[in-house]
Amino acid sequence: MHRKGKGPTDFADARSASQENSVSKKGETKSPASTPKGLSRLALNRRHFLAAGAATLATPYLSKVARAQGSDVNVGVVVPLSGANAQFGVNSRNGIQLAADQINDNGGIKALGGAKINLIIADSTSTPTNAATVGQRLIAQQNVVAILGAYASSLSLALSEATERRDVPLLTMSFSDMITGRGFKNVFQVISKATTMGAAQLRGPAGVAEKAGKPLKSIAIMYEDTAFGTSQAGGLRETAAELGIEVVMDEAYPLGITDVTPLINQLRGTNADAVFPCSYLNDGVQIIRTMRQQGIDMPVIGGAGGYVIPDFRAALGEYAENVFSVAPSNYDLAPELTDPFKERFGYFMVHEAIEHAVCLDVLAKALEISGDTDSDALREALRNNRFEGGWAGIIPGGGVDFDETGLNTLAKPIIVQWRGEDLVTVWPDDVATKEAVWAGK
């Protein structure tokens, strides 16, 4: 079931949940329950959300405040369901909804008498100001215990300002170093920060190239001038210096660039051994299509974002083959968890869906530990426990353990590569499901 608001932007409420997973506290663990595969009555398809188009934010229609009835726990979800990042927002919502359905189907939050997770989902659009406004509204009007979101780093940074002011936990899978670098006490980042992602984006392929007998001597970096792109490019730059690799192109460009030809012309003149673009879907597709159409066949190692979703392969066809990307996780690492997503939504579980499911799983476990929805108790449970098993365990590194800044210290980036319709994990060796192919020069 779904409802429409009176304004131009659609919002949905969904009651959903995830399997009961283990939490480590002083060495104690619980065994994960099985993962149900049934479809929720509240499942919403991709087309519904994308129909919102590029509409600007209006006063949102939000789900009923079920928590006021004493039974449900309201969890806010702020993701871009319209604008340039809409598909990523849809993917994120789908992952959260799957996890929420599993939690509820397995008895809800037992420490709260079986309380159900009540998702209150709001469209941030793809604009930071709107992300902050929507977050503030959820806190003020919907009595949410925490907020999940908002995919893009620029959106999450703005949203975190609102959650910090109102003392409400924010769980995010955004990359930017600034997420946990400002001394906020209410923000929790379940994946590695962007500079760490950037380091792995180069370190992994450098090892693959060396193994293939084609060591990297020079690289090109191009990145969107956002919080995500800037931070990740910093990690690439620092790692190149550490490995003694020359950076022969280091170029920022505006998000939503309309003509990448000057970038590609500059790239052609570098004769780099590989190129490392940090961009979302539309920009990444333009960059690679233009490269390949101009006969530039150097290996491409993307910065996650738009490089690791089915739309990338659909847009580029054979041009996507063997393209690498760094990623915080991948569906082939735990098919027993991610296969139900594909069965339900019709495409493989992309990393933002996985990590948003992790966010909700960790929140649910913290609620079980605290037995309380009070912000102080919830924040203490998040900071002082190690979360393992189930969705939390799908994060490479084995789980989630937040440091004093709110950063997950266990997370380890991976390298994935396109093989036909599949995105396979190829690095590091201890988690790789396929051997990497180093094609091109």
Side-chain angles (χ1 to χ4, degrees):
M1 177 179 70
H2 66 268
R3 303 179 184 176
K4 275 193 172 182
K6 297 181 184 296
T9 306
D10 292 341
F11 294 81
D13 61 311
R15 292 181 184 173
S16 340
S18 174
Q19 66 193 93
E20 182 182 352
N21 300 321
S22 63
V23 178
S24 292
K25 185 178 183 182
K26 298 181 180 178
E28 298 177 1
T29 61
K30 297 187 291 183
S31 298
S34 61
T35 303
K37 297 184 179 180
L39 294 180
S40 166
R41 296 190 309 271
L42 299 172
L44 302 178
N45 62 34
R46 300 160 94 191
R47 192 181 311 168
H48 169 80
F49 281 104
L50 291 176
T56 55
L57 183 67
T59 301
Y61 173 86
L62 297 169
S63 68
K64 62 181 181 180
V65 189
R67 191 165 161 242
Q69 301 172 0
S71 58
D72 292 355
V73 175
N74 287 349
V75 176
V77 176
V78 178
V79 288
L81 299 174
S82 59
N85 289 321
Q87 186 59 62
F88 300 108
V90 171
N91 296 339
S92 300
R93 176 201 57 80
N94 288 348
I96 294 169
Q97 186 171 316
L98 176 68
D101 285 344
Q102 293 170 353
I103 293 169
N104 289 344
D105 289 347
N106 281 282
I109 307 299
K110 297 174 181 62
L112 297 175
K116 304 299 184 183
I117 298 293
N118 182 48
L119 298 179
I120 304 178
I121 301 174
D123 183 7
S124 65
T125 73
S126 297
T127 306
T129 301
N130 288 342
T133 300
V134 166
Q136 179 71 22
R137 205 171 278 158
L138 285 178
I139 296 167
Q141 299 177 6
Q142 300 298 324
N143 201 23
V144 295
V145 302
I147 291 180
L148 314 180
Y151 176 71
S153 291
S154 58
L155 302 178
S156 296
L157 286 166
L159 176 60
S160 67
E161 298 283 346
T163 55
E164 189 70 11
R165 282 195 302 270
R166 297 300 296 268
D167 207 30
V168 171
L170 169 66
L171 287 88
T172 183
M173 49 66 62
S174 295
F175 288 11
S176 174
D177 288 34
M178 294 172 63
I179 299 288
T180 50
R182 296 165 297 165
F184 285 7
K185 66 178 183 178
N186 289 295
V187 66
F188 298 90
Q189 191 173 18
V190 301
I191 61 174
S192 301
K193 59 186 179 180
T195 50
T196 303
M197 296 290 290
Q201 186 181 353
L202 176 52
R203 193 175 299 279
V208 172
E210 185 78 31
K211 186 176 179 181
K214 299 178 180 181
L216 294 180
K217 297 179 181 179
S218 64
I219 63 169
I221 302 171
M222 56 179 73
Y223 59 98
E224 62 174 52
D225 58 358
T226 62
F228 149 62
T230 301
S231 293
Q232 197 149 320
L236 282 165
R237 216 173 281 123
E238 292 168 9
T239 305
E242 179 184 338
L243 297 178
I245 297 172
E246 183 183 5
V247 177
V248 292
M249 176 180 175
D250 191 345
E251 194 70 28
Y253 67 86
L255 173 63
I257 187 171
T258 57
D259 182 9
V260 300
T261 303
L263 281 175
I264 304 308
N265 288 341
Q266 183 178 349
L267 175 64
R268 181 191 296 279
T270 66
N271 199 32
D273 293 322
V275 60
F276 293 76
C278 298
S279 53
Y280 291 120
L281 177 63
N282 294 336
D283 297 346
V285 166
Q286 279 196 82
I287 288 167
I288 294 177
R289 180 181 289 124
T290 305
M291 280 180 59
R292 298 311 190 219
Q293 287 175 344
Q294 294 190 17
I296 302 175
D297 65 351
M298 69 178 64
V300 176
I301 301 92
Y307 293 83
V308 289
I309 62 175
D311 306 66
F312 179 81
R313 176 65 173 75
L316 286 172
E318 65 180 11
Y319 289 155
E321 191 67 13
N322 293 327
V323 169
F324 293 93
S325 180
V326 69
S329 62
N330 196 39
Y331 67 96
D332 65 347
L333 299 180
E336 70 281 4
L337 287 175
T338 61
D339 281 354
F341 182 97
K342 185 172 184 178
E343 293 169 10
R344 177 169 175 171
F345 297 108
Y347 60 104
F348 68 69
M349 194 170 189
V350 294
H351 85 81
E352 63 266 22
I354 292 171
E355 291 131 28
H356 273 106
V358 172
C359 287
L360 184 58
D361 183 33
V362 169
L363 175 63
K365 288 173 177 173
L367 286 166
E368 292 285 9
I369 293 168
S370 66
D372 196 335
T373 58
D374 174 74
S375 292
D376 290 339
L378 193 51
R379 187 168 51 247
E380 182 177 355
L382 287 167
R383 284 202 187 283
N384 297 327
N385 292 277
R386 176 173 172 145
F387 303 94
E388 300 172 315
W391 288 110
I394 200 173
I395 295 291
V400 176
D401 190 0
F402 297 115
D403 65 13
E404 65 280 0
T405 72
L407 178 66
N408 179 14
T409 60
L410 301 181
K412 295 180 179 179
I414 58 175
I415 298 295
V416 295
Q417 187 175 34
W418 281 100
R419 303 286 181 75
E421 301 289 333
D422 297 320
L423 188 66
V424 299
T425 303
V426 296
W427 182 89
D429 290 342
D430 61 343
V431 297
T433 60
K434 299 283 185 181
E435 187 171 351
V437 173
W438 190 259
K441 59 183 296 183

